[in-house]
Amino acid sequence: MADETTLAPLPWGRDVIESILPHRDPFVWVSRVVTIEPGASITAELDVPVDLDIFRGHFPDHPVLPGVIIMEALAQAASIAMLQAPELRGHIGFLAGIDGAKFRRQVAPGETVTLTGRIVKSSRRLVVAEVEASVDGEVCATATQKYVLA
């Protein structure tokens, strides 16, 4: 997993993201990392492909990115930030809870979602992050997420 290659200049692309996260296609929901303060905060982006297979069923006449995918993208972004804290490198974060999730705007095919996360609590066992997804400055979703570390 993460090593000194994650110190590459920003923005980080898929190669660096996959050196940190255990996720692989078709379940990597972060396109790039724009800014990061290891163990503290992150701004990342998700480019939503227009031909994403999910849109065939969600919904054929009005395609929107499912809210659970937005929450997963936020969890992956926050995990990148937390797993870059020196004491947590090499761990895996498992989503353990989502509190106060609110969905305010739909995400359509072809849009770029900005994913922000701020770690508000961190121990060797549990991490809590405040997360927000937005498109062009318009908030799509917010939540408090909890991750258990293994």
Side-chain angles (χ1 to χ4, degrees):
M1 299 254 179
D3 59 19
E4 51 276 3
T5 63
T6 60
L7 301 176
L10 293 166
W12 293 344
R14 192 64 160 271
D15 56 335
V16 175
I17 291 166
E18 287 186 358
S19 76
I20 301 166
L21 295 178
H23 304 77
R24 296 295 178 264
D25 275 334
F27 217 76
V28 178
W29 296 104
V30 177
S31 301
R32 77 193 61 75
V33 173
V34 180
T35 65
I36 187 168
E37 185 179 339
S41 65
I42 191 166
T43 301
E45 294 176 334
L46 168 63
D47 299 324
V48 181
V50 295
D51 61 350
L52 191 63
D53 196 47
I54 288 172
F55 296 134
R56 289 188 314 114
H58 196 270
F59 300 98
D61 295 328
H62 184 77
V64 288
L65 191 65
V68 296
I69 298 298
I70 296 169
M71 284 296 134
E72 176 64 24
L74 288 164
Q76 289 182 18
S79 291
I80 292 169
M82 73 181 182
L83 295 174
Q84 286 306 282
E87 67 276 11
L88 298 180
R89 287 186 181 171
H91 285 79
I92 296 176
F94 292 95
L95 189 56
I98 300 173
D99 295 332
K102 294 194 182 344
F103 298 94
R104 303 179 187 281
R105 177 196 187 279
Q106 295 173 348
V107 175
E111 293 187 311
T112 296
V113 182
T114 300
L115 309 164
T116 60
R118 185 173 58 87
I119 308 301
V120 295
K121 179 182 177 184
S122 181
S123 68
R124 287 203 167 279
R125 187 79 179 118
L126 178 72
V127 175
V128 179
E130 298 290 334
V131 296
E132 178 182 284
S134 62
V135 172
D136 295 329
E138 192 175 348
V139 175
C140 302
T142 58
T144 300
Q145 294 184 338
K146 297 174 184 170
Y147 321 99
V148 173
L149 300 172

